[in-house]
Amino acid sequence: MGIRQQLIMNKKTLFDKVWDAHVVDAIKNGPQVLYIDKHLIHEVTSPQAFNELKERNIPVFRPDQIVATADHNTPTENQHLPIQDALSRNQLEQLSRNCKENNITLYELGHKYNGIVHVMAPELGITQPGMTIVCGDSHTSTHGAFGTIAFGIGTSQVAQVFASQCLLLTKPKSLRVSVNGKLKNGVLPKDVILYIISKLGTNSGTGYFCEYAGDVFENMTMEGRMTVCNMSIEMGARGGMIAPDDTTFDYIKGREFAPKGIEFDKKIAYWKTLPSDKDAKFDKEYFFDAEDIEPMVTYGTNPGMGIKISQHIPETSDASFEKSLEYMDFKKGESLINKPINFVFIGSCTNSRIEDFRVAANYIKGKQKAANVTAWLVPGSKQVEAQIIEEGLKAIFDEAGFELRQPGCSACLAMNDDKIPQGEYCVSTSNRNFEGRQGQGSRTILASPLMAAATAVEGKIIDITKQLN
């Protein structure tokens, strides 16, 4: 073997570097034991895991590496009052008891750091490059925006991490999606990831960890990168990652749990070694041109069923496609422009950060919400809520007739009171448009915060590019 070939073989991807640094042990030609730096938990997927440990008399191994928050079941109105729904109240009380008994940090409802798990951890500086992060929630891939290996785990794995701070895993393959060029006016990070999934499909990433590369991602803010990585799971990938750079370091600096002073400088020196080596080999690669991306909307019941706002629903024929259109009450060849919409939701772990609300407020300012529309704006955390008020965005929303609610997962998944009625369409900035996801019989159209804001003002879906250009 030549020296150059040997050198190329030694080149590593960002994913390889982080994974290999966390392998504690390995079974020959089999799975590996991976150390987990941070374990994030919430009220829905942790109770059974705590019970399993209690039944087997096993203590939580490293409570200091666990952070808990209340988010899925939380109401987004009157959070100072007792929770009305018995199941939600019970789950939140159980989380409080479990965290207290096991000495785990918990940001309860009303705490200044409370929020959606994938919003509050990054904004507190808990999420840092080079880490391994897990949570009993499929959208844990959000944290990959920082150059972390972050992924969702099942309840039995939550128990595994509680007991050992490790997981037994088979190393996924590597995938890279590169997008280069300049994005058109009005195209947001949400449009970029919806476009990628519409092109590749919902199974394209199965068995892979995806790295996003190219100048489109390099030029994105951290909040935009989080939106992209959040939806990696929707193309079947185990997770998504973006190499840390100065944008990452600037975002982390000064946050509550970020390293300080000399420690921060040392961390940066290490973080700069993490990006994929120049000749690193990926198991699969895809390339896209930024100029081809437009504002996107979904028309079906999975996130891969998306079209540019200027396009029509495809003429495809297969049983699942037909079933999907029947559920959505759409027709092949139909345009979604001018489709009347009565519900709009801006929120979720995909799009509930301050930049999302700035985009919405910038469009809404001086306008009025359409009379037929119920528009919920739900910040991802108490800190985002405070920023919305401090920056005067709440006043803009109030004047336009929008309803700013309190933080939580809200109408993303209808595990709380925020449900879309049966048969109604909702233009939503969340991540999934499955049947009944936002309420039994509800119909979800995924879009960016800009598209959602425009829909709320017009009372129907519009081609936003016509206004911007």
Side-chain angles (χ1 to χ4, degrees):
M1 185 185 291
I3 293 171
R4 174 164 167 74
Q5 192 178 357
Q6 179 66 52
L7 285 171
I8 289 172
M9 284 185 71
N10 290 336
K11 300 292 185 182
K12 288 187 172 186
T13 66
L14 163 65
F15 173 70
D16 288 333
K17 290 178 185 183
V18 181
W19 180 281
D20 293 351
H22 287 81
V23 174
V24 176
D25 203 352
I27 296 165
K28 192 175 180 182
N29 301 321
Q32 297 174 316
V33 178
L34 196 74
Y35 179 76
I36 303 302
D37 290 309
K38 284 290 175 190
H39 186 189
L40 307 174
I41 65 171
H42 55 76
E43 74 274 16
V44 178
T45 52
S46 64
Q48 307 92 321
F50 277 117
N51 287 343
E52 185 181 336
L53 261 67
K54 195 177 281 186
E55 285 165 11
R56 297 172 63 184
N57 200 28
I58 299 171
V60 172
F61 180 50
R62 294 203 65 185
D64 55 318
Q65 300 305 103
I66 306 169
V67 177
T69 188
D71 58 4
H72 282 59
N73 288 75
T74 56
T76 58
E77 290 183 297
N78 300 315
Q79 290 185 349
H80 62 291
L81 297 176
I83 295 168
Q84 296 300 304
D85 181 71
L87 178 64
S88 297
R89 186 172 63 250
N90 182 49
Q91 284 202 309
L92 291 170
E93 286 172 355
Q94 188 67 52
L95 179 68
S96 296
R97 280 195 299 273
N98 284 330
C99 288
K100 195 172 183 181
E101 285 171 14
N102 292 282
N103 200 27
I104 290 167
T105 300
L106 166 65
Y107 299 122
E108 295 183 275
L109 200 60
H111 190 283
K112 67 177 181 177
Y113 293 153
N114 174 252
I116 302 174
V117 64
H118 310 312
V119 176
M120 49 73 70
E123 74 183 3
L124 288 171
I126 292 167
T127 305
Q128 295 169 27
M131 282 184 166
T132 50
I133 298 177
V134 296
C135 176
D137 187 284
S138 53
H139 293 101
T140 307
S141 54
T142 308
H143 306 265
F146 291 80
T148 71
I149 289 179
F151 54 95
I153 56 176
T155 298
S156 60
Q157 290 178 306
V158 172
Q160 253 184 64
V161 182
F162 278 160
S164 67
Q165 204 59 33
C166 292
L167 279 171
L168 184 65
L169 299 162
T170 300
K171 187 178 180 180
K173 291 184 284 188
S174 62
L175 158 69
R176 181 162 62 184
V177 174
S178 298
V179 186
N180 285 291
K182 185 170 169 52
L183 293 173
K184 292 174 183 170
N185 199 9
V187 174
L188 302 189
K190 180 64 160 286
D191 300 306
V192 174
I193 189 61
L194 283 174
Y195 172 85
I196 291 168
I197 299 168
S198 77
K199 290 291 185 186
L200 299 184
T202 53
N203 295 320
S204 56
T206 304
Y208 293 84
F209 232 89
C210 176
E211 179 178 339
Y212 299 97
D215 50 25
V216 163
F217 303 110
E218 288 165 14
N219 293 327
M220 268 185 197
T221 63
M222 282 312 301
E223 301 201 348
R225 294 176 188 184
M226 282 187 258
T227 293
V228 170
C229 288
N230 174 275
M231 290 192 67
S232 303
I233 189 76
E234 309 308 339
M235 62 178 180
R238 197 76 172 93
M241 303 177 83
I242 294 173
D245 56 14
D246 287 342
T247 301
T248 322
F249 312 147
D250 291 344
Y251 178 93
I252 296 169
K253 190 174 184 178
R255 293 189 181 265
E256 185 70 17
F257 299 107
K260 306 289 191 293
I262 295 168
E263 275 308 304
F264 187 67
D265 295 338
K266 284 181 186 171
K267 285 285 188 185
I268 286 181
Y270 168 60
W271 294 342
K272 283 182 174 178
T273 69
L274 294 174
S276 294
D277 296 328
K278 192 164 181 269
D279 293 316
K281 289 280 181 275
F282 290 80
D283 296 302
K284 195 165 26 171
E285 289 217 51
Y286 295 103
F287 300 89
F288 295 106
D289 189 344
E291 282 85 354
D292 191 45
I293 307 173
E294 290 178 22
M296 299 286 292
V297 284
T298 60
Y299 59 86
T301 54
N302 73 57
M305 299 177 80
I307 50 174
K308 300 175 189 178
I309 189 60
S310 61
Q311 292 180 323
H312 294 69
I313 294 172
E315 301 279 351
T316 312
S317 285
D318 72 54
S320 64
F321 183 85
E322 305 275 1
K323 181 175 177 284
S324 203
L325 286 194
E326 186 183 342
Y327 180 83
M328 294 296 291
D329 195 25
F330 288 151
K331 302 283 185 288
K332 294 176 190 177
E334 186 179 350
S335 165
L336 295 194
I337 295 171
N338 294 324
K339 189 78 184 173
I341 302 292
N342 294 328
F343 286 84
V344 167
F345 169 60
I346 299 180
S348 87
C349 59
T350 318
N351 284 119
S352 64
R353 296 173 181 85
I354 191 62
E355 284 180 14
D356 301 311
F357 294 103
R358 286 175 186 153
V359 164
N362 190 46
Y363 181 85
I364 291 163
K365 191 172 186 178
K367 301 183 177 80
Q368 275 294 309
K369 175 187 70 65
N372 61 300
V373 173
T374 298
W376 293 331
L377 309 177
V378 186
S381 71
K382 291 294 284 183
Q383 291 203 84
V384 174
E385 180 185 39
Q387 279 179 286
I388 288 170
I389 295 164
E390 283 164 21
E391 294 182 15
L393 308 187
K394 184 181 186 299
I396 293 169
F397 298 142
D398 288 347
E399 284 167 25
F402 286 70
E403 187 180 342
L404 181 66
R405 297 196 155 204
Q406 292 172 292
C409 291
S410 185
C412 171
L413 78 172
M415 286 186 78
N416 44 70
D417 296 331
D418 301 355
K419 294 175 173 63
I420 307 304
Q422 187 159 355
E424 291 283 3
Y425 292 103
C426 178
V427 169
S428 174
T429 67
S430 52
N431 40 50
R432 287 184 171 162
N433 51 347
F434 303 159
E435 289 188 19
R437 169 81 176 178
Q438 292 193 284
Q440 191 173 357
S442 63
R443 295 165 172 154
T444 302
I445 296 166
L446 301 177
S448 74
L450 177 60
M451 283 291 292
T455 301
V457 168
E458 301 294 334
K460 61 185 181 182
I461 295 173
I462 64 163
D463 183 349
I464 191 72
T465 62
K466 297 284 192 282
Q467 291 192 4
L468 300 173
N469 299 332

